[in-house]
Amino acid sequence: MTKQEPQARTSFFGWQLAGDTDVIAPHERLSWPKTVGIGLQHVVAMFGATFLVPVLTGFPPATTLLFSGIGTILFLLITRNQLPSYLGSSFAIIAPVLAATASHGQGSALGGIVLVGALLVVIGVVVHFAGTGWIHALMPPIVTGTIVALIGLNLAPTAKTNYEQDALTATVVLVLLIASLVLFKGLIGRLAIFVSVVLGYFFALVRDKVDTDPIGAADWIGFPEFQSPTFHLSVLPMFLPVVLVLVVENIGHVKSINTMTGLNYDKKIGRALAADGLATVLAGSGGGSATTTYAENIGVMAATKVYSTAAYWVAGVAAILLGLSPKVGAVIASVPPGVLGGVTTALYGLVGILGVHIWVTNKVDFSKPVNQFTAAIALVIGIADFSWTVGDLSFGGIALGAIAALLIYHVMRVVGGWRGTVVVDKADVDSPH
């Protein structure tokens, strides 16, 4: 059955008050008290992952929260208030940010984030006019899955470093995470990461592992810490694979909304990419982290059947208000290494598993050498963190792994196809991920 086109609004903020129905479409809304309640659920859903990124990268948490809320509102404006989405912090950015910060400081990491956003805007504009076919041809599921997987698994040593600083707390957090997943259903089950971090934080607090002095000194209301980006040619290549991940995440988000609502938002993919790109440029320009559409909030929509963009306006405004509280930022920044070690042992692995998920859902055939070697070589390069320096350019494991995946696949496909030694199914290339 052909999906319907999204219904047009009578005005930009002209949400229709929903009747007696179980499904609330993007152009509809519940009563405002209920809409606020749903919006705050979206804040809780995004919070666990969004605050972890600045804690792990050393960025000011309040700044990241502020730009997360601003980015969400910008996304709603650019997509003409038709595409429900929250823009939270991207985990794909962690590895290159840590590497760039170690070599040239946080300013250079922000410069890399600005580059990621600018390229995403360009891709969004191209997709808006040319469609997504060229993306699927350039990055078939075997390539995208490999790049996503190596970005997560490349961070394994970082998780280990944090874990070893307080192994007891880290183990408790991991146990709480698994327990939350298996004991609770609904929203609490989906917020297992957030719940385990909060409980682990209190466990560390009782053991005097949390520095609370900055919390007491912080004001309740005030502007967060802003920082300008700097640009260093040597660190920019390591950020390029992140662009590919954000493209895949945004396309996947739109496809998920299509499935859940029964409406066809494919024509909004270009706008979604450009909006996420602009939000990332804005965040990087002021000291925040790269943004991406959030699967956590997809989960809230799936549970509530409320797809109203009105709820996301509430979430965006709430995030901005949280970002304007230095006290909230100080609490987030005080999360100790033991807690981070426990949760990132799971989270970084989950990023890797997302790559495997892309392979599985697209039925990648690993009996074919073209798929075997595309994944095998790139993963070892990424996980072992190979490096290569050419003049002022420095390529780390993620960049080299992504380049390897692209080159190996396309060279084997073209040369092998010419020689008749490699067979590539059309579905392997045309899959929409």
Side-chain angles (χ1 to χ4, degrees), residues 114-125:
V114 170
L115 171 69
V116 167
L119 290 175
L120 199 58
V121 171
V122 173
I123 293 173
V125 172

Side-chain angles (χ1 to χ4, degrees), residues 83-408:
L83 201 59
S85 179
Y86 188 89
L87 294 189
S89 303
S90 171
F91 277 92
I93 205 73
I94 294 175
V97 163
L98 292 176
T101 300
S103 60
H104 290 86
Q106 281 193 346
S108 69
L110 293 174
I113 291 173
V114 170
L115 171 69
V116 167
L119 290 175
L120 199 58
V121 171
V122 173
I123 293 173
V125 172
V126 174
V127 167
H128 183 71
F129 292 103
T132 60
W134 65 278
I135 294 178
H136 303 321
L138 177 66
M139 298 186 300
I142 179 59
V143 173
T144 54
T146 298
I147 293 173
V148 172
L150 66 85
I151 283 177
L153 299 177
N154 175 268
L155 288 165
T158 303
K160 179 186 177 184
T161 299
N162 282 327
Y163 202 107
E164 290 176 337
Q165 292 190 50
D166 186 359
L168 177 59
T169 298
T171 302
V172 168
V173 170
L174 266 180
V175 171
L176 288 170
L177 172 57
I178 301 301
S180 299
L181 288 168
V182 299
L183 293 176
F184 300 106
K185 298 180 180 179
L187 185 62
I188 294 180
R190 282 190 299 276
L191 296 177
I193 291 174
F194 180 69
V195 171
S196 66
V197 168
V198 171
L199 294 178
Y201 182 91
F202 283 110
F203 180 77
L205 187 64
V206 170
R207 298 177 60 239
D208 198 27
K209 297 290 185 179
V210 180
D211 182 8
T212 58
D213 291 340
I215 300 174
D219 295 329
W220 280 103
I221 300 175
F223 285 105
E225 177 185 349
F226 296 111
Q227 184 177 357
S228 299
T230 58
F231 298 91
H232 297 268
L233 184 61
S234 61
V235 304
L236 295 182
M238 65 182 71
F239 286 88
L240 297 180
V242 177
V243 180
L244 307 182
V245 177
L246 296 184
V247 168
V248 173
E249 288 179 342
N250 275 275
I251 293 176
H253 184 87
V254 175
K255 296 294 185 182
S256 297
I257 294 175
N258 287 351
T259 300
M260 291 189 300
T261 64
L263 301 172
N264 189 346
Y265 287 94
D266 283 356
K267 292 183 178 179
K268 291 287 187 292
I269 291 177
R271 286 180 175 271
L273 290 167
D276 190 10
L278 283 174
T280 296
V281 168
L282 185 63
S285 299
S289 183
T291 60
T292 188
T293 48
Y294 253 29
E296 288 85 347
N297 299 92
I298 286 283
V300 173
M301 291 192 289
T304 62
K305 300 295 187 294
V306 177
Y307 308 106
S308 173
T309 56
Y312 283 100
W313 281 91
V314 173
V317 171
I320 291 173
L321 294 177
L322 287 173
L324 292 175
S325 175
K327 185 77 73 175
V328 172
V331 171
I332 296 172
S334 69
V335 177
V339 175
L340 298 178
V343 72
T344 54
T345 296
L347 281 178
Y348 295 162
L350 284 177
V351 176
I353 293 302
L354 285 176
V356 177
H357 178 70
I358 291 174
W359 294 336
V360 173
T361 55
N362 290 282
K363 300 179 180 179
V364 174
D365 186 354
F366 278 101
S367 68
K368 298 176 180 178
V370 64
N371 293 333
Q372 292 172 351
F373 286 94
T374 295
I377 296 173
L379 283 176
V380 169
I381 291 173
I383 295 171
D385 201 19
F386 284 32
S387 61
W388 183 37
T389 301
V390 183
D392 292 333
L393 292 177
S394 178
F395 297 86
I398 292 178
L400 291 175
I403 293 169
L406 284 164
L407 287 178
I408 292 169

